[in-house]
Amino acid sequence: MTGVELVILLLLLVVALALVARRVATPLPVLLALAGMALGLVRHALPQVPALQLPPRLVLTAALPPLLTYAAFSVPLGAFRANLRPITLLAVGLVFVTMAASATAMHLVHPATPWAAAFVLGAIVAPPDAVASVSVGGRLGLQNRLVTILEGEGLVNDATAFVLYQLAVEAVVTGRFTWGQAALELLLVAPLGVIVGLAVGWASVVARRHLDDPMLETTLSLVVPYLAYVVAERVGGSPILAVVALGFLLRQHAPDIGAPRTRLTQATVWRTLDFIITGLVFMLVGIQIGEITVRARIGPTVLAPAAAVCATVVLVRLAWMHVVPPGASHLAARGSGQLASWRERTVLGWAGPRGVVSLALALAIPPLTADGRPFPERELLVLVSVAVIATTLVVQGLTLAPLMRWLGVGDRLAPARQEERARAAASRAGRRRLEGLVAEGRLEPAVSAEAGRWLREGLGVDSGAGYTEVRRAVLAALDAERDAVTRLRDDGQIDADTARRLETALDEEDVRQRAQAERAPDERDRKERAADERA
């Protein structure tokens, strides 16, 4: 069996597990990781199956740019800004605290690990992966503002951990570390990465405004995240923040670039790409964990620090949610007047499984230092990291939904009610647009009534007399409905999945109306010829 054949089989397995995940209460990323672990454990009994390696550079450069861009594109901008303080506290403050606490636990339990190497481990296990948690929370009706906090934390914490990891590795490899240099690097890489992402995004927006080809625009949208990542990396900025800033900018300008048919094409391509990359990456993460577990010599030397570090990352997050006053008191959106209850804070505290980035950083630990000596305790650091990733991903991923049900957090019917309210709000916006056009004298009342009747009842628009005016009124109303959905989404009143379904439906109707408009002259000619023949 070749590597290509194995990848094909893994993709088929991803599709099969996705179907299973729809019928069981297990998040798909967790199910994929479990299947991957099983494959990694049994692979050694199947000599015809090649070993699958997960090059860290491949994960960071090939997988992260599209995944983070798509995630940032899906986050509601207004809700993100309103919750910027709690997101920053979690994505920056909690990452620092978790790194320090984990490093301390590692050094205390295994004193042979130098402090610098222990901080490398702390940076590896500090950032949670929010993919599984967000999928569970959204499905079980966790409040939108709390889901936004989890999504925002997942977008930014990787960048914080990545910079801290580089500083810690450099301290071990070179033997030199100064707080001044570290602080300067931390202050420079973040804004520089954001600037690169915004610059690349703006250039992409300008270019796409001059294109009217779904294939070319979709191809450009796929290339731009990699461009932002590589450019930010070359100039010394944060590549992760670059692609996050890119996703935010593209979302903000989404209504201005691309026709409805282009948006439909891109939505299908990007959702498919996100599914494939996420599925393969989590499957490969599981396989790597299984492979490393089989090859490793598991004993007290590994189990004791692994248990200590794993307990530390879980307890520190729970304590942060309940004890740190800024972290607890600002979990409400600005001006909402509501604070997260202790039950909701417990759910947020438990929603901290480690995942793809942590494994990539662990595997990227260099084997040698600058003077040619082995990296201190490298094998142990990798094993402890793998243990933390496997334990948190499986245990927290599988128990988050039962915990939410036990605490009474979330409302299963909330997504359906959100969609119903959003449809009603969009319909009202469409009617107001028609009424405004009539009041301005730009639309005849009869045409407005016909367009409103079609929007209300879903009737077809006659291609005869007055068709052009009615169609224009319908398209104007559809634009107003789309704007209403965008506002609800950006304000965090509806989740990304609900907004995506409504936007897709509106774009599909827009495309159908324009297609009918192109066929209308031929239809009128046909009717006129038929009338002439009867005469």
Side-chain angles (χ1 to χ4, degrees):
M1 181 181 294
T2 65
V4 174
E5 292 170 341
L6 186 56
V7 171
I8 293 173
L9 289 178
L10 289 180
L11 283 173
L12 293 175
L13 185 57
V14 168
V15 173
L17 290 175
L19 295 175
V20 173
R22 294 181 179 180
R23 299 179 177 273
V24 298
T26 304
L28 178 59
V30 177
L31 199 60
L32 293 169
L34 285 172
M37 291 179 197
L39 290 175
L41 290 172
V42 305
R43 191 201 66 79
H44 294 274
L46 303 171
Q48 67 273 23
V49 178
L52 267 181
Q53 299 298 323
L54 188 63
R57 182 70 181 175
L58 178 64
V59 175
L60 296 176
T61 305
L64 278 188
L67 290 180
L68 290 177
T69 301
Y70 186 74
F73 190 85
S74 302
V75 171
L77 297 179
F80 181 88
R81 287 192 292 265
N83 291 284
L84 187 59
R85 182 176 295 178
I87 289 172
T88 304
L89 286 170
L90 292 174
V92 179
L94 182 55
V95 168
F96 270 95
V97 172
T98 303
M99 179 187 69
S102 301
T104 302
M106 181 66 189
H107 185 75
L108 291 178
V109 176
H110 192 268
T113 304
W115 273 108
F119 273 99
V120 171
L121 174 67
I124 290 171
V125 300
D129 191 322
V131 174
S133 301
V134 168
S135 66
V136 172
R139 189 177 68 249
L140 296 182
L142 187 66
Q143 292 189 41
N144 288 338
R145 62 189 175 88
L146 302 182
V147 173
T148 300
I149 290 174
L150 286 176
E151 290 176 327
E153 178 194 6
L155 288 174
V156 181
N157 62 10
D158 289 340
T160 306
F162 189 69
V163 174
L164 295 175
Y165 169 84
Q166 289 178 314
L167 292 173
V169 168
E170 183 179 354
V172 176
V173 171
T174 64
R176 297 189 303 271
F177 178 81
T178 61
W179 285 105
Q181 181 181 358
L184 180 62
E185 187 167 349
L186 286 172
L187 291 175
L188 287 178
V189 296
L192 189 56
V194 172
I195 290 172
V196 170
L198 295 178
V200 173
W202 181 251
S204 170
V205 169
V206 172
R208 289 176 58 182
R209 282 175 177 166
H210 294 83
L211 296 176
D212 188 19
D213 187 313
M215 181 184 67
L216 296 179
E217 291 188 61
T218 302
T219 302
L220 183 61
S221 73
L222 294 174
V223 173
V224 165
Y226 293 103
L227 177 62
Y229 190 96
V230 171
V231 171
E233 200 172 37
R234 288 298 182 95
V235 301
S238 169
I240 294 176
L241 289 181
V243 294
V244 170
L246 169 70
F248 284 155
L249 182 72
L250 293 179
R251 179 69 225 189
Q252 185 176 4
H253 290 277
D256 305 329
I257 55 176
R261 60 171 183 163
T262 301
R263 290 196 293 266
L264 289 173
T265 301
Q266 290 182 356
T268 302
V269 170
W270 271 95
R271 289 189 65 186
T272 304
L273 181 66
D274 180 72
F275 172 77
I276 291 174
I277 294 179
T278 302
L280 281 179
V281 166
F282 274 95
M283 182 74 74
L284 291 172
V285 165
I287 291 175
Q288 292 292 302
I289 292 174
E291 289 269 359
I292 293 172
T293 303
V294 170
R295 294 197 306 265
R297 295 184 297 273
I298 305 298
T301 306
V302 176
L303 292 177
V309 174
C310 189
T312 298
V313 299
V314 172
L315 293 177
V316 165
R317 184 175 178 87
L318 285 170
W320 179 279
M321 292 297 178
H322 288 287
V323 177
V324 178
S329 63
H330 291 96
L331 284 176
R334 184 185 306 163
S336 67
Q338 294 180 328
L339 298 178
S341 67
W342 70 268
R343 292 181 174 85
E344 292 172 327
R345 295 199 300 272
T346 300
V347 170
L348 292 182
W350 194 248
R354 274 58 183 172
V356 176
V357 172
S358 293
L359 182 61
L361 295 180
L363 297 177
I365 297 176
L368 301 174
T369 61
D371 56 6
R373 291 181 299 174
F375 194 99
E377 302 294 343
R378 182 186 187 278
E379 182 179 359
L380 179 60
L381 297 180
V382 173
L383 291 176
V384 172
S385 301
V386 167
V388 172
I389 295 166
T391 303
T392 56
L393 183 60
V394 174
V395 175
Q396 292 184 313
L398 291 177
T399 58
L400 183 60
L403 178 66
M404 290 181 61
R405 288 192 289 265
W406 181 59
L407 293 176
V409 174
D411 181 0
R412 287 179 175 272
L413 300 179
R417 288 198 294 267
Q418 282 182 27
E419 184 166 349
E420 183 178 353
R421 289 195 299 268
R423 289 184 182 277
S427 180
R428 289 194 298 270
R431 291 197 300 271
R432 285 196 298 270
R433 175 64 61 85
L434 293 177
E435 293 169 359
L437 292 175
V438 171
E440 295 171 6
R442 298 165 56 187
L443 192 66
E444 293 294 331
V447 174
S448 174
E450 178 66 18
R453 184 174 70 92
W454 183 88
L455 289 169
R456 183 175 60 255
E457 302 176 11
L459 301 176
V461 179
D462 186 15
S463 59
Y467 168 79
T468 301
E469 290 76 12
V470 174
R471 180 184 61 82
R472 288 175 179 170
V474 168
L475 291 177
L478 290 175
D479 287 341
E481 293 188 16
R482 189 182 297 106
D483 292 341
V485 172
T486 299
R487 286 194 299 271
L488 292 173
R489 174 194 171 281
D490 288 345
D491 291 341
Q493 298 184 43
I494 59 176
D495 57 35
D497 289 337
T498 300
R500 190 180 297 116
R501 285 194 298 272
L502 296 179
E503 289 170 344
T504 298
L506 291 171
D507 283 339
E508 288 174 345
E509 189 53 48
D510 192 301
V511 170
R512 191 172 76 91
Q513 285 296 321
R514 295 180 189 277
Q516 287 183 353
E518 294 174 357
R519 293 194 301 267
D522 294 336
E523 179 69 14
R524 285 195 294 269
D525 290 343
R526 187 186 63 80
K527 289 183 177 180
E528 291 175 358
R529 287 197 300 270
D532 292 340
E533 291 174 358
R534 286 195 299 270

